[in-house]
Amino acid sequence: MPRKQSKSSARPLKAIEPTSDAEVTIGVASVTLLVMVLGALSASPVWLLGLLVFLPAAASALCTVRQTKLVSAWTALVVIVTMLVRHGDGRPWLDRILMMLLTLALGAASVYACHRRIRREHEVLRLRSTAAAMQRQILRPLPMITDDVLVDGVYEPVQEDRLVGGDIYDVVVSPWGTRILIGDVQGKGLPAVGAAFAVIGTFRATAHREPTLTALADALDASVVQHNAYAAQTGEDERFVTALIVNIDADEEVQVINCGHIPPQLLRDATVTTPALASGVPLGLAALAAEPATVDWFAFPPGATLLLTTDGLTETRAADGTFYPLAERLTKRVHLSPTDLPRALYDDARAYAGGEDQHDDVAVLSVRRSPYR
């Protein structure tokens, strides 16, 4: 297994910061003072009911239960005292009593609503914490260091609240070198995530066992076929997965099988080249191919960097509809370290799209050959 995982690609999950007591006090005092001034100017207590009733409702949305109770109690106290003191304004006592009861009812409803809100927030936080723990097991934190390479990168699902998407990656140390997988499941949503889990699980189980990349690719293809068989039984759509399967060992060459995926970019001596690879069919479609998957080789000397990405980056569009020119933008950033390069490309793609929300999952990995090998 990789020797080091120093930081996580998952976003940190934190509970929502509650409103401080000082902020609540200032807010309540300000609104109360405003109501008193308006009440004095208008000589009518209607302002009290019209404005003060918003205080408990606002507190239920922003404050803790204790703070909401205090705000509701203060609101009820101000309204009740005002209704009892202003007995000479000609308003019937029945109206006064109804106003006081309404204030108490709104306060109680606000406290109950605050209870419900906080309980939902805690449930959501627990669910997201569980999802984050799952992501750390499914998509291991980056960077990852082996005897052969340093792998770093960026992983950004299309939906911010979904920690795992249809793009996948993994790094496994095998007896035959460091094996790296990057892939993209057809489609989006939970069905795509299911196919992603199937491929990652098979990769981890077989990368240690299969001595050749072709046998590993066959195992991954079989996992997608099996997943599709189960999906068909439940009425879900079948999926295929584009993938790059990479093997890096002590030799100054890298072995790659391209299963219909975007080819890698090789950064070497301040130049960027795209290795010529035979593009096979995606995982899950091998039965339709005329020939089996083939292994390509190309030079990967010490100090070189291999950039692996999914089409979430390359298919980012500008306002005029043009795709993100990865090779051109990459040439301007060859001076960046492998650790900084993936994030720089991702941020540049977002700026290229004019800051619009991304429309697909994005995974960008930089694979740096150890200079000491």
Side-chain angles (χ1 to χ4, degrees):
M1 297 299 296
R3 297 183 304 180
K4 179 180 179 184
Q5 297 174 348
S6 62
K7 65 182 179 180
S8 172
S9 59
R11 300 179 182 86
L13 301 179
K14 297 181 179 179
I16 298 176
E17 291 291 338
T19 306
S20 67
D21 290 343
E23 292 173 326
V24 174
T25 301
I26 293 173
V28 170
S30 301
V31 175
T32 302
L33 179 61
L34 175 63
V35 168
M36 292 300 183
V37 172
L38 293 175
L41 294 176
S42 64
S44 172
V46 174
W47 288 104
L48 291 172
L49 184 61
L51 294 179
L52 279 185
V53 293
F54 287 105
L55 280 176
S60 70
L62 301 173
C63 303
T64 65
V65 174
R66 178 185 62 83
Q67 291 169 340
T68 304
K69 288 180 179 178
L70 292 176
V71 172
S72 299
W74 171 254
T75 302
L77 177 63
V78 172
V79 171
I80 291 173
V81 170
T82 302
M83 291 297 99
L84 294 177
V85 170
R86 302 189 61 158
H87 55 80
D89 61 358
R91 183 174 296 276
W93 274 103
L94 179 60
D95 290 351
R96 298 172 186 272
I97 293 173
L98 290 176
M99 189 176 296
M100 290 185 286
L101 291 177
L102 179 60
T103 302
L104 292 173
L106 290 174
S110 297
V111 172
Y112 174 74
C114 185
H115 269 292
R116 293 286 301 273
R117 173 183 63 83
I118 291 178
R119 185 171 63 184
R120 286 196 300 270
E121 288 178 356
H122 288 167
E123 290 175 351
V124 170
L125 183 62
R126 284 195 297 270
L127 289 173
R128 286 184 59 82
S129 297
T130 300
M134 291 177 60
Q135 184 196 35
R136 287 191 293 270
Q137 297 301 317
I138 297 163
L139 297 176
R140 294 188 176 112
L142 296 168
M144 290 184 275
I145 302 175
T146 74
D147 290 336
D148 304 300
V149 292
L150 163 67
V151 182
D152 208 339
V154 172
Y155 180 82
E156 295 289 346
V158 64
Q159 297 177 2
E160 186 177 355
D161 60 347
R162 195 178 73 205
L163 299 178
V164 180
D167 286 2
I168 55 176
Y169 67 84
D170 203 5
V171 178
V172 171
V173 177
S174 76
W176 305 279
T178 299
R179 291 180 166 177
I180 304 170
L181 169 72
I182 187 169
D184 187 357
V185 181
Q186 173 203 16
K188 300 180 179 67
L190 292 178
V193 173
F197 291 175
V199 173
I200 290 177
T202 302
F203 180 75
R204 290 176 182 169
T206 58
H208 302 277
R209 186 176 67 240
E210 298 294 348
T212 65
L213 284 191
T214 52
L216 177 55
D218 290 342
L220 296 178
D221 181 83
S223 71
V224 178
V225 172
Q226 185 178 38
H227 172 79
N228 285 336
Y230 286 126
Q233 294 176 6
T234 59
E236 298 177 1
D237 294 334
E238 296 184 358
R239 308 277 168 174
F240 62 79
V241 183
T242 66
L244 278 176
I245 309 169
V246 182
N247 188 87
I248 302 172
D249 55 22
D251 295 333
E252 293 191 8
E253 287 186 319
V254 60
Q255 308 169 43
V256 181
I257 291 182
N258 185 358
C259 300
H261 199 75
I262 299 170
Q265 301 290 321
L266 180 63
L267 286 69
R268 178 184 178 187
D269 299 330
T271 61
V272 179
T273 58
T274 303
L277 304 178
S279 182
V281 298
L283 300 174
L285 302 178
L288 305 178
E291 298 179 354
T294 58
V295 180
D296 288 297
W297 303 68
F298 58 87
F300 188 42
T305 299
L306 199 62
L307 186 79
L308 313 177
T309 184
T310 60
D311 61 9
L313 181 72
T314 58
E315 293 185 0
T316 298
R317 292 177 180 266
D320 60 0
T322 57
F323 289 113
Y324 181 70
L326 176 60
E328 173 187 335
R329 299 301 180 107
L330 188 56
T331 301
K332 299 177 181 179
R333 290 165 176 80
V334 292
H335 64 282
L336 295 177
S337 69
T339 300
D340 297 331
L341 181 60
R343 175 57 63 178
L345 289 173
Y346 175 79
D347 292 341
D348 183 58
R350 298 276 65 78
Y352 183 80
E356 295 184 2
D357 294 338
Q358 64 190 67
H359 301 291
D360 198 1
D361 304 320
V362 176
V364 184
L365 300 182
S366 64
V367 183
R368 177 76 166 182
R369 166 79 82 171
S370 172
Y372 307 109
R373 299 294 291 183

